[in-house]
Amino acid sequence: MNTDVKPSWMASRMPCLGGWWAGLTTPSMAREAPYLAVLPWLITAGLVFLTASGLVLAVYYNPADAFASRQFIAREVNNGWLIEGFHATGTTLVFAAAYLLLLRGMLARSYRAPGELVWLLDIVAFALLLLVGWLGFALTGGAAGYWSVMNATNAAMLLPGALGALGTWFFGGPDGPGTLARLLVLHIALALVIFFILWLRHGAKKAATPLPAPALRVAFHPYYTAQYFVALVVSALIGCVLLFFYPHFGQSPLNNVPGGPLALATGAGVPWYLAPLAGLSALFHGTYGGILGLAAGLVLLLALPWLDRSGPGRRAGGLWRLLTWVLALDVLGLGWAACGAAGGLSGLLVVVFGAWYFLHFLVLTPIVTALEAQ
Amino acid sequence: MRPVFGKLWLATGLLALLGGNALAHDRLSPFHFQSQGLLGSTDKAAAQRGFLVYETVCASCHTAKALHYRDLEALGLTPDQVAGIAAGVKTANGAPATLNDTFPAPKIPAGAFGGAVPPDLSDIAAQRPHGARYIDHLLTGYAPAPAGVTLLPSYYYNTAYPGGQLAMPPPLKADDVTYADGKSATVAQQAADVSEFLAWSADPNLDARHEVGLRAVLFLVFLTIIAIASKRRIWRETV
């Protein structure tokens, strides 16, 4: 606290640390931010955790024999099953937080001026997260991952012009013996890029959030350290329940079969956090249908600040909030149907839920927000 | 605790189902495996018996490439016992197996079983929905094909298998094996035992997972309470 009175041992030798500590303890933050405001920080903490557990996995992982090396990790490496569980469950938690963050942004309409850039960076980080999550799913070497890589490489090669060149560069050509080694590097490199985007987002968020009057401010420490600690412990509790009692939560049993041309995957077989996108990409047919569905789904999210016609400074109306909750259920349903959970009805439900997604953004959002603004 | 509740459930369920009429085919099917459920653990005695069934019956067609002989020590066998088991098995080059060898692959003529390939069994319980329970039903699910179903040549009708037609001949016969613990080796008993063995094979860390998990969850519940209390205390000073 009294760093300015007498610099501590460390601060006199490493001044930047002293400044950092002073920054944490001077009142500079709004009071009583809601618990859910910690989501960006939780995502960052989750990504650090994933980086650490991923580092251990990467030491033993062998892209040339992916499935066997995962068996080795789970069965032979000391506590390897635990580290693998950390990585899988950590992913589930980070995605849960990311989906919640987007839902919260929509409900609060925080994507409107001056928050557009924060929202755009959120979506970019989310898209990267999905890509990294998919790459991790591909690296499992299970039957579902194997077919997903096969389909993705084929689709990427077929893209016209510069996009096709980009796809070829990304995958290095058709699916083959070297593909997973390449995807491993991209999985790690892109995960690190997410940190950079989150750092940018942090800056943009600070600029977009007005500070309260000095008398109403509190210091990060001890007030928010105490609050963040609660959020962290509760997340760890949820994570432990999943890790130790539902280790395969949200994963297809199909992916426990080693991948190969003979192990045919039926249905999407993707983990839960990719399922809504699998639904969107199943919506359109034709050569480019899959990629078109994916891209359209994400572009609509990016365009939300401009699809909302309510103008600045208005609170969200009841109808809009209701529609946003319906969209949340719709996305859940889309993922659920895309996993084939509804049996013979799945195909139909994917179309219905997928169509609602587009209807929500392209038609309902502009109309409802414009009406509520009047 | 749990098995007791399981049995109570079972009893109530049976009573509810018209005095057990619907489930009255007389097999000792364990409707509940010890490895199932939130706090399940591997039934080592059953898994040891199941290994005997695997080794005697299933291994002549199936592989379990992820398993080493040394892994069997986790089922409560002593290193000497396991070494004895391994010594009785020939590896691909004809030498007796050692503790560090994986279970060998049987030689199956190409095109046997109408082209169907017996899958590797190391992870089969994780690959099929309802794991052990499914395998148990599969092994005891052979039945004459109902009228109107035409079986493919060299396929068998099985009520548990999706699609109903399976290339695996009914593998179990009563008293194929002799259990060291004196249990009578009925088909139902063997099926249950080998299912528990395969459940262990697919999830060898089950016991540790549930043991560590219970402690971690209890610890975190208390830590949550403390964290919330301290947070409220700290924030109280601001107002």
Side-chain angles (χ1 to χ4, degrees):
Chain A
M1 282 298 199
N2 44 13
T3 35
D4 40 11
V5 180
K6 179 177 172 288
S8 72
W9 185 90
M10 198 55 163
S12 58
R13 287 158 183 81
M14 187 81 89
C16 63
L17 278 187
W20 184 70
W21 180 245
L24 287 182
T25 47
T26 24
S28 61
M29 299 185 70
R31 274 185 189 191
E32 293 282 15
Y35 266 109
L36 283 181
V38 307
L39 283 175
W41 180 81
L42 269 186
I43 292 173
T44 314
L47 286 172
V48 170
F49 181 69
L50 287 179
T51 309
S53 53
L55 195 72
V56 179
L57 294 181
V59 170
Y60 297 99
Y61 179 76
N62 172 13
D65 202 357
F67 195 86
S69 71
R70 279 187 49 234
Q71 292 269 325
F72 180 77
I73 292 171
R75 290 169 185 271
E76 312 296 327
V77 175
N78 286 341
N79 292 320
W81 63 274
L82 191 61
I83 307 289
E84 198 178 49
F86 282 155
H87 208 63
T89 315
T91 310
T92 282
L93 289 185
V94 165
F95 268 103
Y99 275 103
L100 266 183
L101 180 74
L102 296 191
L103 175 62
R104 195 165 175 268
M106 284 189 180
L107 286 171
R109 277 179 167 165
S110 58
Y111 51 81
R112 292 182 308 172
E116 309 101 315
L117 186 61
V118 181
W119 176 259
L120 292 186
L121 289 169
D122 274 347
I123 303 297
V124 171
F126 183 62
L128 273 173
L129 201 60
L130 288 167
L131 181 55
V132 172
W134 178 78
L135 287 168
F137 163 64
L139 290 179
T140 58
Y146 175 90
W147 282 100
S148 195
V149 175
M150 184 73 99
N151 292 337
T153 45
N154 286 344
M157 303 296 110
L158 285 173
L159 284 174
L163 282 178
L166 187 68
T168 312
W169 173 82
F170 191 88
F171 290 109
D175 192 16
T179 307
L180 283 191
R182 198 179 181 93
L183 297 190
L184 174 62
V185 175
L186 291 165
H187 178 68
I188 297 169
L190 290 175
L192 297 179
V193 174
I194 301 180
F195 283 109
F196 176 66
I197 307 280
L198 287 179
W199 176 70
L200 289 181
R201 183 220 191 255
H202 179 69
K205 179 77 189 170
K206 244 181 158 169
T209 321
L211 265 182
L216 294 176
R217 295 180 199 167
V218 293
F220 183 84
H221 182 75
Y223 300 102
Y224 280 102
T225 32
Q227 195 201 33
Y228 283 26
F229 185 61
V230 175
L232 195 66
V233 173
V234 171
S235 309
L237 179 58
I238 299 172
C240 279
V241 170
L242 288 177
L243 164 56
F244 293 111
F245 299 101
Y246 304 95
H248 300 297
F249 175 83
Q251 299 168 19
S252 160
L254 211 65
N255 219 30
N256 293 323
V257 182
L262 285 180
L264 259 177
T266 49
V270 293
W272 71 269
Y273 43 85
L274 297 176
L277 278 144
L280 286 180
S281 76
L283 206 55
F284 298 95
H285 295 279
T287 321
Y288 307 129
I291 290 183
L292 189 73
L294 282 180
L298 291 171
V299 166
L300 284 181
L301 282 174
L302 280 175
L304 184 58
W306 295 275
L307 291 171
D308 184 324
R309 311 303 307 159
S310 61
R314 289 188 64 95
R315 284 188 54 80
L319 186 56
W320 162 259
R321 290 177 69 88
L322 180 70
L323 277 177
T324 306
W325 279 111
V326 171
L327 178 73
L329 293 179
D330 178 68
V331 168
L332 283 180
L334 183 61
W336 178 73
C339 291
L345 273 180
S346 298
L348 179 69
L349 285 181
V350 165
V351 174
V352 172
F353 289 135
W356 179 266
Y357 182 88
F358 286 98
L359 187 76
H360 174 93
F361 282 104
L362 289 175
V363 181
L364 297 175
T365 299
I367 295 181
V368 169
T369 49
L371 282 180
E372 285 189 349
Q374 279 169 8
Chain B
M1 263 313 245
R2 266 203 77 83
V4 176
F5 278 125
K7 285 192 185 106
L8 277 177
W9 265 114
L10 195 68
T12 345
L14 283 176
L15 284 175
L17 282 167
L18 305 169
N21 238 0
L23 294 171
H25 46 88
D26 74 65
R27 43 181 287 235
L28 297 162
S29 169
F31 289 97
H32 182 89
F33 287 92
Q34 188 182 314
S35 56
Q36 280 178 334
L38 210 54
L39 294 178
S41 58
T42 303
D43 181 344
K44 289 182 181 164
Q48 278 191 24
R49 292 194 300 270
F51 167 70
L52 184 67
V53 178
Y54 172 85
E55 190 73 352
T56 323
V57 184
C58 321
S60 58
C61 296
H62 289 277
T63 57
K65 281 185 259 176
L67 291 180
H68 306 83
Y69 284 99
R70 61 165 187 263
D71 298 335
L72 294 171
E73 287 172 32
L75 293 182
L77 295 170
T78 65
D80 285 344
Q81 283 172 319
V82 179
I85 292 171
V89 180
K90 292 241 176 323
T91 55
N93 58 20
T98 65
L99 288 184
N100 287 334
D101 278 313
T102 51
F103 287 13
K107 288 191 188 62
I108 299 175
F113 311 114
V117 184
D120 184 270
L121 291 186
S122 354
D123 280 305
I124 195 85
Q127 292 163 354
R128 300 289 184 270
H130 309 299
R133 210 190 264 246
Y134 166 72
I135 298 167
D136 180 53
H137 288 181
L138 185 81
L139 295 175
T140 54
Y142 289 94
V149 173
T150 331
L151 281 178
L152 297 164
S154 74
Y155 272 67
Y156 302 83
Y157 189 76
N158 189 305
T159 49
Y161 191 68
Q165 306 210 15
L166 180 69
M168 169 164 74
L172 296 174
K173 276 179 245 23
D175 300 317
D176 265 348
V177 294
T178 312
Y179 285 141
D181 61 4
K183 264 221 167 16
S184 134
T186 59
V187 168
Q189 184 67 46
Q190 293 181 55
D193 290 341
V194 78
S195 302
E196 183 74 355
F197 170 71
L198 292 176
W200 165 78
S201 159
D203 194 0
N205 305 303
L206 176 74
D207 292 10
R209 184 153 61 72
H210 282 174
E211 229 166 82
V212 179
L214 196 59
R215 286 176 206 187
V217 167
L218 283 177
F219 170 75
L220 285 169
V221 166
F222 283 113
L223 194 60
T224 305
I225 297 171
I226 293 171
I228 292 177
S230 90
K231 185 255 176 190
R232 299 182 121 206
R233 203 192 179 96
I234 286 170
W235 277 89
R236 209 179 303 144
E237 295 161 18
T238 60
V239 272

